[in-house]
Amino acid sequence: MEIFQTIWTALTTPNELLTKILVLPLAFVETTVMMLLFTTILDIKTTKKQKLIYIAVMAILTIISNTFIPKSYGMIINLILTPILIKFLLKTSWSKSIVAEFIPLIVTVLLDTIIVRIYLILFNVPYEQILAIPIFRLSAILIMYAIIYLLHRLSEYFHFYITLIDAMNRKEKLLLLLNCILAIVAIGTQFYLVGFYNDKLPFVIILLNMLSLITYFLMSLYSLTGISRLAITTRDLEETKQYNKT
């Protein structure tokens, strides 16, 4: 009984080192659910071997960056390495690789902001303690991963796939990549700032700020795909017209 009491005390007492040690192995879970989400939505065809290699490499690099590199620099390194690994390990295009990083980033930022705010309201503890107390941090992370996995399953069930990227021309792909890169930088910066003011700013302000940024880039993406769809339709009509003439 005393052992369980000791374990419970360790899990409910602020301890940044223990929290970091317990969270590190979850990098494999994080990489897996993120990969399932973007490969499903973007309809990226991969083999089991490719998936296992990507999970192993990405998770190990995440653990190394989180352990030996300051958080701000580690985030930048991960943002740069993720699309490169997706491109070469999952054998897809650069455009899909960038979008594949963008989709989980949006979901992660929103879920992390909402879950942390709920914890602040329920347990009435400072934001720093939520990050430092092992049971709070672990449970928040596992809840977020469970929701991301649920989104993956819902995408499969309702056949929600984005397949228009491969049909875009070079100019449209460059615009898409630029849009996603700007979105990643803006949302990543915003997420970093929220980490300092999550327990000070009203939740409505934080949520509206995040949603406004995400909505702007999603509308830009929607407009770009609409233009691309129209161009593809026009091209198909021209090809049909030429075929009929022949």
Side-chain angles (χ1 to χ4, degrees), residues 51-65:
K51 290 179 179 178
L52 291 175
I53 293 173
Y54 173 77
I55 291 170
V57 174
M58 188 66 198
I60 292 171
L61 288 176
T62 300
I63 292 173
I64 292 172
S65 65

Side-chain angles (χ1 to χ4, degrees), residues 71-107:
K71 186 176 180 180
S72 56
Y73 294 107
M75 183 183 298
I76 295 172
I77 291 173
N78 286 338
L79 288 175
I80 295 172
L81 286 179
T82 299
I84 296 174
L85 293 177
I86 294 173
K87 161 69 178 174
F88 292 105
L89 295 182
L90 299 183
K91 308 298 182 183
T92 186
S93 62
W94 280 114
S95 52
K96 278 194 174 183
S97 301
I98 300 293
V99 178
E101 181 180 41
F102 178 60
I103 292 172
L105 181 63
I106 291 179
V107 177

